[in-house]
Amino acid sequence: MAEAIPSLRAFALGLCLDLQEGDPLVEETLEVVLSGNESAPSGMGCKTWLLFLVRRTFYRRAKPGSTRSRTARSGSKVAGGTAGNGFSLASAQILAALGRLPLHHREVVVLAVMLGERYEDASMICACPMGTVKSRLNRARRRLGRELALFQQRP
């Protein structure tokens, strides 16, 4: 489980777009796992299950009426990063473009592109058919490509 934590943190950051929200999301997920009240469904690997739980926890927190209903918006703390926190200007632009994607597109980009998850695993994590994952990823890639091309054209 420990070897999955960097992926869990990256996925949580991709969902929240906020360093201050991502780590508590992972911690809450790991608390659920360590409580022993849940176990991975058959056919779902440990890392896939953990990523599924991070996503489920994120959406549960974002529900109206939740005590922790902060959701990611463009203009997040990560997208406005400075050189002092390890983010270059290009990284900040990529994260800002990622933050402008609809959440359902952003989550498949993080899973399939940034974390290298298989489409089959991404479909289990996102609880949607594999064709939907591929379609969302294609749309997200096209939009990111357009936005980043505009960034490169600026003086």
Side-chain angles (χ1 to χ4, degrees):
M1 180 172 23
E3 62 274 0
I5 291 175
S7 295
L8 300 178
R9 291 184 74 213
F11 186 47
L13 177 59
L15 292 172
C16 298
L17 294 177
D18 185 336
L19 293 169
Q20 303 302 317
E21 290 291 319
D23 283 343
L25 178 62
V26 172
E27 289 173 14
E28 187 176 334
T29 301
L30 293 174
E31 286 173 6
V32 168
V33 172
L34 294 173
S35 72
N37 293 331
E38 296 197 40
S39 60
S42 63
M44 188 181 279
C46 181
K47 181 179 172 189
T48 302
W49 177 59
L50 292 169
L51 290 166
F52 170 82
L53 291 175
V54 167
R55 182 181 181 271
R56 186 182 74 184
T57 303
F58 172 79
Y59 280 104
R60 190 183 72 238
R61 286 171 139 200
K63 282 187 177 181
S66 169
T67 58
R68 303 186 77 173
S69 63
R70 288 186 59 200
T71 56
R73 302 281 180 240
S74 59
S76 67
K77 294 175 186 171
V78 173
T82 63
N85 67 10
F87 287 103
S88 67
L89 179 58
S91 296
Q93 291 297 327
I94 291 168
L95 285 171
L98 192 62
R100 288 188 291 273
L101 288 176
L103 183 57
H104 60 282
H105 288 173
R106 187 169 68 237
E107 66 188 6
V108 297
V109 168
V110 173
L111 288 168
V113 176
M114 297 178 168
L115 297 179
E117 294 296 318
R118 300 175 316 145
Y119 293 145
E120 181 181 358
D121 292 335
S123 73
M124 284 190 269
I125 294 163
C126 295
C128 65
M130 190 173 357
T132 302
V133 167
K134 290 178 179 180
S135 175
R136 289 175 180 175
L137 186 57
N138 184 41
R139 287 186 184 111
R141 282 179 170 155
R142 284 196 321 252
R143 183 169 171 179
L144 285 171
R146 284 191 306 267
E147 288 198 28
L148 295 175
L150 289 174
F151 170 69
Q152 289 177 347
Q153 293 174 359
R154 293 182 186 156

